[in-house]
Amino acid sequence: MHGSAQQETSTGHYTIAIQPIVNAQLQHVADELLYRGDMTATSAAVFDDVQATARACAVAIYEIGLDKLCGQRQLFINASGEWLLNPDLSGLPADQIVIEVLENTQANEPLLAALRQLKAQGYTLALDDFEPDAANSALLSMADIIKFDISTGLPTALIKRLYQDGYTLLAERVETYDEFEQCKALGFSLFQGYFYQRPQVQVTTTKRHSTSRANQMQLLAQLYSDKVRLPALSTLIARDPYLLNAVFKRANSAGKASQRPAYKLLDCIHIIGLKELRMLVSIVMLAGNNPASKINLINGLTRAFGCEALAEQRGLDEEEGFIAGLFSHMPVILGIDLEAMLQELPLSQTVCQALTQRAGSLGKLLTDIEACEQGDLNPSVPAELMLQAAAEARSLMDAHIS
């Protein structure tokens, strides 16, 4: 891995490509999702495997939309071992997604447990660029599809054995029709390569932006302060034209506007109200109109709504529940250390102790919600609670991010 992840991240020009996968009748039945650092790239320049997967999925889901991108076809996504240990599956329908385990993935017990969890959730698993060795033999028992890069040769004995064992075989880098016929004769039923089509870069029209970290932290400090000062808040909002536009649009929307339009920022803030303003500003600011950030923010909002709902059931402060849930995920959203974040944000002692030590009733609530996110069953947390929280999070993002 060469180059600077920071340099690559700063461009904001990344996009995706897709390459068709066809069956033996040359019917287009699936696509592989490929990350591209910019619109002109012909191959992936990946500096961070986890970030590349998150960005590719986010562009596919939130910028283009899976319906438009691949319809009802299956979508293969590349997944590193690090991503598999903490997979982000927001918006990825289990019945449509094939998760490709990359060839350099180490088969240890935590990884195998993660794969078992993905299988239990209904995802199809493929082994990418498969080569048999002692290290990946345990992965074979998890797989539904085995991919072979035929440019490196065709191990016919292994292919025949896997075919007889019932695996679906996919030949990639099929360059000619003769190679297609040769692979088909060996038992391959899926094919991918230049013989059919090269990867097609997908054009997106979303204009991504980001705000300065300092302004973000000052805004969050004002929003969640015990004594919110609206003039100071309006000054910080005014520094971000995209955020400013969102506040004006919301205040003058059909559901909020009075007889006369609001032209002053302070008037808009009064119309929206502090509770909704906190939500609106957090969403627009933290998502940054960046699809990878949107995935993290949806996860944070889902946790926040889950904590809020559980706080209500347990007779705790609902607002503190929401704040604890959101800010427990804030280090991931902002890319900042929890301790450093708490030094800059005036959160209550109860919330701080819950975040740092999982202490008190609020800390126990947060622990229970986090366990539910990992799939653990907890009789004190209704099964539908997290599903409803996820629906609320996506609804909010749809409403405030265009």
Side-chain angles (χ1 to χ4, degrees), residues 49 81 99 123 175 259 288 334 340 343 371 383:
D49 288 330
I99 296 175
Y123 291 94
E175 307 297 288
Q259 295 280 336
L334 289 174
Q343 288 176 355

Side-chain angles (χ1 to χ4, degrees), residues 21 79 97 110-111 140 143-144 212 223 280 283 322 364 383 389 391:
I21 295 169
I97 297 299
L111 182 91
L140 195 58
D144 304 286
S212 74
L223 279 169
L280 168 62
I283 290 172
F322 182 90
K364 175 64 167 61

Side-chain angles (χ1 to χ4, degrees), residues 185-207:
L186 285 173
F188 285 89
S189 56
L190 296 174
F191 310 85
Q192 176 182 6
Y194 289 0
F195 89 105
Y196 186 83
Q197 191 176 87
R198 292 172 179 265
Q200 302 296 301
V201 173
Q202 304 298 299
V203 177
T204 65
T205 57
T206 301
K207 183 179 179 181

Side-chain angles (χ1 to χ4, degrees), residues 305-321:
F305 281 123
C307 288
E308 182 182 53
L310 195 57
E312 180 184 14
Q313 292 185 15
R314 295 183 178 182
L316 303 176
D317 188 296
E318 295 170 44
E319 184 176 359
E320 281 196 336

Side-chain angles (χ1 to χ4, degrees), residues 247-258 260-263 268 271:
V247 171
F248 271 94
K249 280 173 63 177
R250 180 56 181 158
N252 288 285
S253 66
K256 289 288 183 183
S258 57
R260 294 184 299 174
Y263 295 113
C268 291
I271 290 170

Side-chain angles (χ1 to χ4, degrees), residues 55-66:
R55 285 180 166 185
C57 291
V59 172
I61 296 164
Y62 299 114
E63 291 194 9
I64 298 174
L66 292 183

Side-chain angles (χ1 to χ4, degrees), residues 290-312:
N290 176 318
S293 299
K294 290 177 191 176
I295 282 186
N296 286 330
L297 186 53
I298 283 181
N299 290 342
L301 287 169
T302 298
R303 183 180 295 176
F305 281 123
C307 288
E308 182 182 53
L310 195 57
E312 180 184 14

Side-chain angles (χ1 to χ4, degrees), residues 317-334:
D317 188 296
E318 295 170 44
E319 184 176 359
E320 281 196 336
F322 182 90
I323 292 172
L326 180 61
F327 280 86
S328 69
H329 204 69
M330 198 67 78
V332 176
I333 298 169
L334 289 174

